Amino acid sequence: MEDSNKQNSNEVNETSKTTTTTTTTSNDNNNSIHDFTLFESFTWGQKIYIELDESSMSTSDPEYQKQVKSSITHFFTASMNVSKQQIFSKNEELEDIRTDSLKYLLIPYYLSELYLKITGSDRIKFLRTSKQKVLTFLQECERLKLIDKEDLEIVHREGKSDPVNRRNELVSRNKRNREIKDKLAYTVKKRMELLKAAGKDSSEIEESDTGDEELDRQFSLLLINEAVFKAIGLLETIEVELPMLQQIEVIKEQNGGVLTPPKLSIKGSGIGNFQILPDGRRIALNNVFRPSHILPTMTPQEGAEWDMHHGGMVKGKGGKESEAKEKTDEELDAEDDDDEKLREKRNWDNYKEDNPKGWGNSLRR
């Protein structure tokens, strides 16, 4: 047990040295920070972490980065004190850990979150450190049986899951997370009532003890359960981002430190032309406030021209008459003369019917 604690202490010291070389704090210098007690260093680190989580500042803001590194330094000091004081033992069960010590299990989780907030050119280095810390946290929670069986399968799974199983996992995990949040909100409310009754500052809800050990223990365990849920999501994010950045570094090394754009193939892909259709949400949005019938897309004149062009409409009377050649002006004039002769003939026929032959001879009457 002592050997393992020494090993953990050496790891913490080595990592602390690499961090404190680039870390500055807004409250104290590094020497005074390392003189803090375990409770003080953890409390300060947690307080800054909560302020960063609720801050509206951009992560690239120099002041934001300064606070991130300050919180990391405080948590490293707390981690060193945990190792020196041998707060946790590999042989301990969850029931054996003191209530006021449970919160120190969150130190690796806080560090993993904080390392992801650091911006700069050493992104791969910070991702690896964050991954190491989050795995340390999850392994300790697994040892103490603080992780659900479904979450353990996600942690130990290699490769991607089936889309259907992935969806079911997310639904189940989100349901359990809502239950944790509801219990945590109720516990926080009860703690605030006890803190106010005791005359303590209710703003320090995270680090204050209410005097009710059962309530304080439940509160710490709920914080750990919530951290487990976030840590698994954090691990999945790192597993996606880290390989991408490593691949980019390989490409840079192959091209003299320059990231060149991929070369496009001259040959066709062989899949032919295709159209990317809008998703269902866009189609539904376009159909909002529209009538049930299909709206016109062209004017009547444009429709008639389209029909005539595509053979849907013919000129003339149709049939054989429409297929006949158009007549010239001379032929049209001849037709007009024929009409005039026909009219005279009809008038003569009408006259003969009204005046029979010999009707004008009075001697025949």
Side-chain angles (χ1 to χ4, degrees):
M1 175 178 172
E2 292 180 358
D3 294 337
S4 61
N5 288 329
K6 287 180 180 179
Q7 184 179 359
N8 293 335
S9 178
N10 291 333
E11 292 177 357
V12 172
N13 288 331
E14 290 177 2
T15 315
S16 179
K17 288 178 183 178
T18 59
T19 305
T20 53
T21 56
T22 58
T23 304
T24 57
T25 63
S26 59
N27 300 314
D28 302 283
N29 55 39
N30 288 334
N31 294 329
S32 60
I33 288 176
H34 288 295
D35 293 335
F36 282 3
T37 63
L38 171 58
F39 177 78
E40 290 173 340
S41 56
F42 178 84
T43 302
W44 273 105
Q46 189 181 48
K47 184 177 181 180
I48 298 174
Y49 170 85
I50 295 173
E51 291 176 354
L52 289 171
D53 199 39
E54 298 175 350
S55 174
S56 59
M57 287 191 297
S58 172
T59 55
S60 59
D61 191 297
E63 182 62 27
Y64 186 92
Q65 291 296 309
K66 185 177 179 180
Q67 294 298 319
V68 168
K69 294 174 181 178
S70 175
S71 183
I72 289 175
T73 304
H74 282 294
F75 279 125
F76 264 121
T77 304
S79 181
M80 292 169 61
N81 289 328
V82 167
S83 298
K84 288 179 180 179
Q85 300 176 24
Q86 300 181 0
I87 301 298
F88 304 115
S89 172
K90 297 293 183 182
N91 300 323
E92 281 184 324
E93 300 290 339
L94 181 62
E95 294 77 10
D96 300 328
I97 300 177
R98 291 171 48 182
T99 299
D100 57 354
S101 299
L102 283 173
K103 55 181 173 286
Y104 301 132
L105 292 171
L106 293 167
I107 293 176
Y109 165 73
Y110 285 142
L111 286 171
S112 66
E113 283 271 19
L114 290 166
Y115 268 109
L116 286 186
K117 297 180 185 293
I118 299 178
T119 58
S121 58
D122 295 333
R123 180 64 177 175
I124 293 179
K125 174 185 174 183
F126 297 137
L127 283 172
R128 287 172 176 169
T129 306
S130 178
K131 181 178 179 180
Q132 176 189 0
K133 296 300 178 184
V134 76
L135 286 175
T136 300
F137 170 70
L138 291 174
Q139 288 169 1
E140 187 66 12
C141 291
E142 180 181 359
R143 185 184 69 82
L144 296 173
K145 300 178 181 179
L146 288 170
I147 304 182
D148 190 86
K149 182 180 179 181
E150 294 182 6
D151 292 338
L152 277 177
E153 293 178 357
I154 299 175
V155 173
H156 296 295
R157 182 172 56 209
E158 297 181 359
K160 297 182 179 180
S161 63
D162 181 78
V164 178
N165 294 334
R166 175 63 177 166
R167 179 184 179 279
N168 294 333
E169 286 176 357
L170 291 175
V171 171
S172 177
R173 293 187 66 234
N174 288 330
K175 182 179 179 181
R176 284 186 281 113
N177 187 49
R178 285 195 299 269
E179 293 176 357
I180 293 173
K181 286 184 177 296
D182 292 340
K183 293 179 181 178
L184 191 57
Y186 174 78
T187 306
V188 168
K189 181 180 178 181
K190 296 293 292 183
R191 283 172 58 82
M192 290 183 66
E193 293 175 356
L194 292 176
L195 289 174
K196 288 181 180 180
K200 296 182 180 181
D201 187 1
S202 59
S203 62
E204 300 177 351
I205 185 68
E206 299 284 347
E207 61 269 11
S208 299
D209 294 331
T210 61
D212 187 339
E213 183 176 356
E214 183 178 354
L215 185 63
D216 291 340
R217 191 174 187 85
Q218 183 183 9
F219 175 69
S220 297
L221 291 176
L222 287 172
L223 286 178
I224 295 173
N225 291 334
E226 184 183 37
V228 167
F229 176 83
K230 294 180 180 179
I232 293 175
L234 199 67
L235 183 61
E236 292 177 335
T237 301
I238 296 172
E239 292 290 352
V240 172
E241 183 178 358
L242 185 57
M244 293 174 60
L245 294 180
Q246 289 174 338
Q247 184 65 27
I248 291 175
E249 289 299 320
V250 172
I251 296 174
K252 285 183 177 180
E253 291 178 1
Q254 294 174 350
N255 295 276
V258 179
L259 182 62
T260 57
K263 296 181 180 179
L264 298 178
S265 176
I266 299 177
K267 297 181 179 180
S269 60
I271 60 176
N273 297 329
F274 62 93
Q275 180 182 8
I276 300 177
L277 298 176
D279 57 10
R281 291 175 296 178
R282 174 57 57 186
I283 295 174
L285 184 62
N286 293 337
N287 290 333
V288 174
F289 302 123
R290 293 185 60 182
S292 59
H293 60 274
I294 300 176
L295 296 176
T297 58
M298 60 180 69
T299 63
Q301 182 180 359
E302 291 173 345
E305 292 176 355
W306 190 92
D307 284 339
M308 292 177 65
H309 180 72
H310 291 83
M313 183 183 296
V314 296
K315 295 181 179 179
K317 300 180 180 179
K320 294 182 178 180
E321 293 184 6
S322 63
E323 296 176 359
K325 295 182 179 179
E326 294 184 1
K327 297 180 180 180
T328 62
D329 294 338
E330 295 178 356
E331 292 175 342
L332 293 175
D333 292 339
E335 288 182 356
D336 292 340
D337 294 341
D338 293 341
D339 292 339
E340 183 66 24
K341 292 179 181 179
L342 181 62
R343 191 180 303 108
E344 291 178 356
K345 185 177 180 181
R346 286 178 178 175
N347 291 335
W348 176 246
D349 291 339
N350 293 333
Y351 177 79
K352 289 194 296 181
E353 290 178 357
D354 296 336
N355 302 280
K357 185 176 180 180
W359 183 264
N361 190 349
S362 58
L363 296 178
R364 292 183 177 183
R365 294 180 179 177

